């Protein structure tokens, strides 16, 4: 593999291991299943995969509760399976990013267990243990709320049975936050990075990349007027603290130790829902991280004005620090794009300045709106061609290439997202976008594994959406993605300059790459004419040479 800066325009496919492919027939996706399906990803044409956590975990938050950062959960296979997966991917020219979860671990992590077992243990300072407030210490140390509902602190019991200190968990009660002020934590993560880089990993996706550094004075958060508790994002002490910069620079140095290896640069992509983008781009300034997810793109409504604004602001801001932009339509935390775009409300209207909303809350609110699934799919296809024509990297969440929609009616007793319990069954959570993929056949389990019942039930309606059917259908969403990825790779214009096209305006969003390829998206109700040139690809067939509503076309204008 070359050492060019591959990450600047890589198309990265997200694998959520539990739901991608089941190799052993237990109904859970696993690493051998992933390895077996690598040729599928190679024929789709992706440059890299990002694998959501595969580490040993009690799976209280789908593996984002890590008990051992250097292993593989037996549910997913063995360590040897993982090494074989990395090698098999590399053989096919696919790079491998894995998830780093540095804000918190699992309460089953041995260091947290040691901290719990003895209030005087040195491990205690690796986490945030604090006495409670109030006369008996029975009030949490701060008023902070957890991202999954309920308080962000849980009280411990001392070994002698008496009530003890409280510990901080910004997510589930089984996800204690690490104390990044303690050098043992800092060194441990340096070591974890090197451990996986030495085993051939090409990069890390950094989970909750804006929360590791904390203000030690732990001030209370402001409670919004009319609310009973602060929003989980309210504590300034937690989010986007200045101390993050030192951590990022340190990690960059570790990654840069590998720049001159035959495999080439190792990279980071930060998960940080920070808005506006100006507070995010310092993360990717020189000497810090390589890329961040563009969540404004993911959250933007299907409106020309909103998309145009997001493209302008994110592209300009990233260029200002010399970093590539990324484009994202979905992931394992958000409503699938084919469903979101089929609703009356399609996301955040940035052009109107509407406030962003936490993804989990947005999902819950959108769920009650009916979905026009044909419209949603049509727009999702148009959106995919839009994001793949833009400069920078792009992410595909598994199943987007099949046009899969959200499963909004999973039976309550099967819901696994911790939000469901912690919100007192008010917020269903994110399981609807995590349903196992349909590979083949006409009925569930659609070839997900050799046998077994998938851990979440697949809808019958996916019979027409299996990979098997779509790979051989020239009009399928899969084939559109494959063609888009092929053109993107073959035509140098897709690595060239970005400029708004003269036909851009109103409901028509249009830009060109290197004056050679134009991308035109019609957000309006009426068909529109296209610039002169050869039509390379469309998301929906043209009608009398015109681009219909909710469609994208790529035109060679050279
Ligand atoms: C990130 C992950 C999400 C997880 C949370 C806590 O947002 O994407 O799935 O629940 O972090 O680790």
């Amino acid at each position: 593999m070359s050492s060019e800066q591959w990450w600047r325009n890589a198309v990265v496919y997200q694998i959520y291991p539990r739901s991608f492919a089941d190799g052993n027939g237990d109904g859970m996706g696993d690493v051998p299943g992933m390895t077996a399906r690598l040729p599928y990803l190679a024929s789709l044409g992706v440059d890299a995969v990002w694998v959501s956590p595969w580490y040993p975990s009690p799976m209280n938050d789908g593996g984002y509760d890590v008990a051992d950062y250097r292993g593989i959960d037996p549910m997913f296979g063995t360590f040897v399976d993982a090494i074989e997966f990395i090698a098999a991917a590399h053989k096919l020219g696919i790079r491998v990013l894995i998830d780093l979860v540095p804000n918190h671990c699992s309460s089953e992590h041995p260091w947290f267990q040691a901290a719990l077992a003895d209030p005087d243990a040195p491990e205690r300072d690796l986490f945030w243990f604090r006495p409670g407030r109030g006369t008996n210490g029975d009030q949490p140390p701060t008023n902070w709320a957890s991202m999954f509902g309920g308080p962000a602190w849980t009280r411990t019991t001392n070994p002698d049975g008496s009530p003890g200190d409280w510990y901080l968990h910004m997510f589930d009660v089984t996800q204690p936050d690490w104390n990044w002020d303690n050098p043992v934590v800092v060194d441990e993560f340096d070591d974890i990075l090197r451990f996986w880089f030495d085993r051939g990993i090409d990069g890390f996706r950094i989970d909750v990349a804006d929360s590791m550094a904390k203000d030690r004075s732990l001030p209370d958060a402001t409670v919004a007027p009319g609310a009973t508790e602060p929003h989980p994002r309210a504590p300034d002490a937690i989010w986007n603290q200045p101390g993050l910069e030192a951590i990022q620079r340190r990690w960059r140095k570790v990654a840069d130790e590998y720049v001159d290896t035959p495999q080439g640069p190792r990279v980071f992509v930060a998960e940080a829902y920070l808005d506006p983008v100006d507070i995010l781009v310092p993360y990717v300034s020189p000497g810090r991280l390589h890329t961040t997810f563009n969540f404004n793109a993911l959250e933007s409504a299907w409106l020309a004005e909103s998309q145009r604004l997001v493209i302008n602001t994110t592209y300009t801001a990233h260029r200002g620090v010399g970093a590539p932009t990324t484009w994202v339509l979905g992931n394992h935390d958000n409503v699938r794009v084919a469903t979101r775009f089929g609703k009356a409300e399609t996301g955040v209207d940035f052009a109107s300045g509407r406030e962003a909303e936490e993804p989990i809350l947005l999902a819950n609110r959108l769920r009650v709106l009916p979905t026009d699934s044909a419209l949603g799919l049509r727009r999702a296809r148009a959106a995919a061609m839009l994001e793949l024509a833009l400069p920078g990297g792009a992410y595909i969440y598994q199943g987007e290439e099949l046009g899969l929609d959200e499963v909004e009616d999973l039976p309550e007793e099967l819901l696994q997202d911790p939000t469901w319990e912690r919100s007192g069954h008010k917020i269903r959570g994110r399981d609807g976008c995590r349903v196992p993929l349909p590979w083949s056949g006409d009925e569930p389990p659609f070839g997900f594994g050799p046998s077994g019942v998938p851990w979440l039930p697949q809808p019958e309606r996916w019979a027409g959406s299996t990979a098997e059917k779509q790979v051989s259908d020239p009009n399928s969403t899969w084939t559109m993605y494959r063609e888009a990825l092929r053109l993107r790779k073959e035509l140098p214009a897709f690595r060239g300059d970005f400029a708004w096209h003269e036909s851009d305006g109103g409901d028509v969003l249009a830009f060109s790459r290197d004056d050679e390829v134009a991308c035109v998206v019609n957000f309006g109700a009426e068909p529109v004419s296209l610039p002169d040139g050869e039509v390379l690809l469309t998301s929906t067939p043209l009608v009398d040479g015109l681009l219909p509503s909710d469609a994208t076309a790529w035109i060679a204008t050279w």
Side-chain angles (χ1 to χ4, degrees), residues 42-274:
S43 62
L44 183 61
V46 302
D47 301 301
V49 290
W50 145 39
V51 183
S52 279
W54 54 8
Y55 312 108
S57 163
M59 300 288 161
N60 290 325
D61 182 22
Y64 284 92
D65 44 330
V66 181
D68 170 6
Y69 288 84
R70 296 176 185 78
I72 299 294
D73 194 278
M75 182 176 102
F76 294 141
T78 64
F79 193 76
V80 172
D81 291 335
I83 299 301
E84 283 175 5
F85 171 79
I86 298 165
H90 284 170
K91 224 171 165 177
L92 291 168
I94 298 174
R95 299 186 202 251
V96 180
L97 277 65
I98 59 174
D99 229 298
L100 183 72
V101 189
N103 179 66
H104 45 263
C105 58
S106 159
S107 51
E108 290 189 14
H109 191 288
W111 291 359
F112 188 73
Q113 284 296 316
L116 272 188
D118 175 4
D120 296 322
E123 284 85 357
R124 200 82 167 177
D125 189 51
L126 304 178
F127 302 93
W128 293 92
F129 284 89
R130 290 288 183 279
R133 297 194 286 200
T135 30
N136 304 316
D138 53 8
Q139 296 301 311
T142 72
N143 65 351
W144 303 346
S146 136
M147 293 293 287
F148 294 156
W153 297 89
T154 291
R155 194 166 197 184
T156 60
T157 305
N158 290 323
D160 66 4
S162 59
D165 287 342
W166 299 66
Y167 69 90
L168 174 66
H169 52 88
M170 283 310 293
F171 291 86
D172 188 48
V173 58
T174 61
Q175 292 170 297
D177 281 42
W178 289 110
N179 171 17
W180 274 85
D181 290 337
N182 189 310
V184 172
V185 173
V186 180
D187 289 345
E188 170 69 351
F189 275 87
D190 284 357
D191 198 70
I192 292 165
L193 295 180
R194 290 198 183 91
F195 177 87
W196 285 106
F197 284 149
D198 288 342
R199 279 154 189 83
I201 285 298
D202 297 283
F204 286 94
R205 175 257 190 194
I206 305 168
D207 188 65
V208 211
D210 52 343
S211 64
M212 286 96 78
K214 292 169 173 85
D215 170 354
R216 291 200 75 74
S217 67
L218 306 184
D220 267 344
T222 314
V223 181
T228 50
E229 58 174 35
H231 190 276
R233 281 264 166 193
D236 290 336
I238 294 282
W239 303 106
N240 198 25
Q241 285 290 298
L244 284 171
E245 178 172 352
I247 301 171
Q248 293 168 352
R249 289 192 182 279
R250 190 181 177 102
W251 287 357
R252 180 61 182 252
K253 286 204 185 98
V254 175
D256 283 352
E257 292 166 12
Y258 294 81
V259 164
D260 294 326
T261 56
Q263 198 178 320
R266 317 300 168 97
V267 302
F268 297 107
V269 53
E271 186 217 25
Y273 287 82
L274 291 175

Side-chain angles (χ1 to χ4, degrees), residues 18 35 49 67 102 147 152 166 182 196 253 270 273 275 277 282 288 309 338 345 349 377 441 490 530 558:
R18 265 182 143 182
T35 307
V49 290
M147 293 293 287
W166 299 66
N182 189 310
W196 285 106
K253 286 204 185 98
Y273 287 82
D275 178 48
V277 66
R288 296 174 71 174
L309 182 72
E345 199 184 325
D349 179 359
L377 177 59
E490 279 174 10
L530 289 169
W558 58 72

Side-chain angles (χ1 to χ4, degrees), residues 384-444:
M385 279 188 56
L386 165 61
E387 75 156 4
L388 290 170
L390 286 163
Y395 282 82
I396 301 173
Y397 174 48
Q398 65 179 36
E400 277 173 8
E401 81 283 14
L402 302 175
L404 295 188
D405 55 0
E406 184 87 0
V407 184
E408 295 183 290
D409 56 356
L410 288 169
E412 290 180 352
E413 63 279 11
L414 295 181
L415 295 179
Q416 309 229 351
D417 187 333
T419 309
W420 175 240
E421 288 303 327
R422 286 192 63 82
S423 69
H425 295 187
K426 286 201 194 83
I427 303 174
R428 288 172 62 93
R430 301 156 292 176
D431 294 310
C433 64
R434 300 174 177 178
V435 173
L437 292 193
W439 288 98
S440 58
D442 293 317
E443 53 190 36

